[in-house]
Amino acid sequence: MERFDQINKDNLPTHVAIIMDGNGRWAKNKGKNRIFGHKNGVQSVREVTEAAAKLGIQYLTLYAFSTENWNRPRDEINALMSLLVSSLSSETKTLMKNNIRLMAIGDIESLPSNVYAKLNAVIKKTSENNGMNLILALSYSSRWEIVNAAKKLVADVKKGKVSADEINDDLFATYLNTSEIPDPDILIRTSGEFRISNFLLWQIAYSELYFTKTLWPDFRENEFYNTILDYQNRERRFGKTSEQVKS
Ligand code: FPP
């Protein structure tokens, strides 16, 4: 049986988040420069997005560029930004055809103006699509997001819109970039690193974590399906006992 057919479509994660890592090492292993790795990483983005949509996953979040990535060499940043613009241009048709809605989280106003404009144009064009939501984390870091949420909340408290007694987990979450998005059920990180790297720290409180040694440009459709199969074998207890969950 094909891996796709082995997946129980009634027990899919609603939200899959991915830290796409290892493009640089993949390229180095082949004696090429880092940008070559990013270019090949785009093909994995395409395959995994299509596989997720085909399965019926509702939210797929990809960590495409972190706040810390601004510290990379200028030419690498420029190459990543151009790849983003060219991918957005070439993939808009596929997003429309597959009924995928594009969203973004992060400090997107800090992106170069052409990237920001292209991103907003595709977000707008796909906004009526009601299939999978593809969320790109761009110039994103979780601490930035949480601090920003705290600032907005304090402003609302000062204005008298919110009282301090009302503040709880649910209210706080409405101030995050992900207020419209359910928490990830599974977080995948490729490339054999066991770190979260400032990604969705609030939202992954109860997510299943999946680490694979595969470098991102090699992480394709079949390995994505394997990951979902692995997820389906886990017992999610949310702090309860195994017996409580089963009854
Ligand atoms: C991590 O590999 C990857 C990134 C920082 C960027 C991910 C970007 C893409 C896959 C291409 C553009 C994205 C879209 C959504 C079209 P690394 O460079 O940190 O690899 P290393 O750890 O081996 O150096």
Side-chain angles (χ1 to χ4, degrees):
M1 210 192 329
E2 291 280 326
R3 285 193 185 88
F4 178 86
D5 300 317
Q6 289 169 30
I7 296 173
N8 174 1
K9 311 300 180 299
D10 296 325
N11 181 27
L12 290 172
T14 303
H15 183 177
V16 177
I18 309 183
I19 301 174
M20 309 182 286
D21 194 14
N23 294 349
R25 276 162 286 165
W26 185 88
K28 198 173 174 202
N29 292 344
K30 296 193 155 23
K32 306 273 188 174
N33 67 16
R34 302 177 52 81
I35 294 160
F36 181 75
H38 297 313
K39 284 186 179 155
N40 281 274
V42 173
Q43 186 54 31
S44 296
V45 169
R46 204 174 283 136
E47 269 197 30
V48 168
T49 303
E50 281 186 20
K54 189 167 131 192
L55 266 180
I57 294 208
Q58 291 175 42
Y59 297 86
L60 175 68
T61 300
L62 303 176
Y63 204 3
F65 194 86
S66 72
T67 309
E68 292 76 19
N69 287 154
W70 291 116
N71 298 321
R72 292 202 171 187
R74 224 330 101 190
D75 63 339
E76 184 172 346
I77 297 175
N78 292 344
L80 279 167
M81 293 298 144
S82 328
L83 265 182
L84 199 59
V85 172
S86 60
S87 304
L88 286 168
S89 300
S90 63
E91 298 308 316
T92 308
K93 251 196 204 157
T94 318
L95 294 177
M96 294 307 289
K97 195 181 91 202
N98 291 303
N99 197 20
I100 297 172
R101 175 183 172 209
L102 185 76
M103 299 168 80
I105 55 171
D107 185 14
I108 57 169
E109 287 173 21
S110 68
L111 294 168
S113 56
N114 66 320
V115 182
Y116 181 68
K118 184 75 213 171
L119 182 67
N120 272 332
V122 182
I123 288 175
K124 196 162 168 223
K125 185 160 174 74
T126 61
S127 63
E128 304 284 307
N129 291 349
N130 58 9
M132 188 174 79
N133 296 283
L134 172 64
I135 303 137
L136 296 184
L138 288 166
S139 193
Y140 175 87
S141 84
S142 203
R143 288 184 176 177
W144 166 85
E145 180 189 31
I146 293 170
V147 168
N148 239 9
K151 283 186 185 165
K152 285 187 277 176
L153 178 54
V154 169
D156 279 355
V157 171
K158 276 194 187 157
K159 280 187 237 154
K161 274 189 168 172
V162 173
S163 81
D165 298 340
E166 280 177 84
I167 301 172
N168 59 20
D169 288 16
D170 289 340
L171 183 88
F172 192 82
T174 66
Y175 286 85
L176 296 170
N177 278 198
T178 51
S179 59
E180 310 285 310
I181 303 165
D183 288 344
D185 299 289
I186 177 166
L187 170 68
I188 302 167
R189 183 176 190 141
T190 59
S191 91
E193 306 289 356
F194 299 98
R195 286 191 292 276
I196 304 299
S197 300
N198 218 345
F199 190 45
L200 301 174
L201 297 177
W202 173 280
Q203 296 87 342
I204 59 165
Y206 285 100
S207 304
E208 294 297 321
L209 304 180
Y210 183 94
F211 297 98
T212 170
K213 281 191 173 156
T214 307
L215 303 174
W216 177 250
D218 287 331
F219 190 88
R220 296 292 168 96
E221 187 176 9
N222 270 336
E223 188 160 355
F224 180 72
Y225 293 147
N226 277 344
T227 308
I228 305 301
L229 283 167
D230 184 278
Y231 166 85
Q232 294 190 327
N233 284 322
R234 301 204 187 176
E235 180 184 64
R236 302 190 71 197
R237 293 202 287 274
F238 299 97
K240 293 185 180 170
T241 67
S242 184
E243 290 68 28
Q244 283 175 308
V245 173
K246 281 181 184 129
S247 65

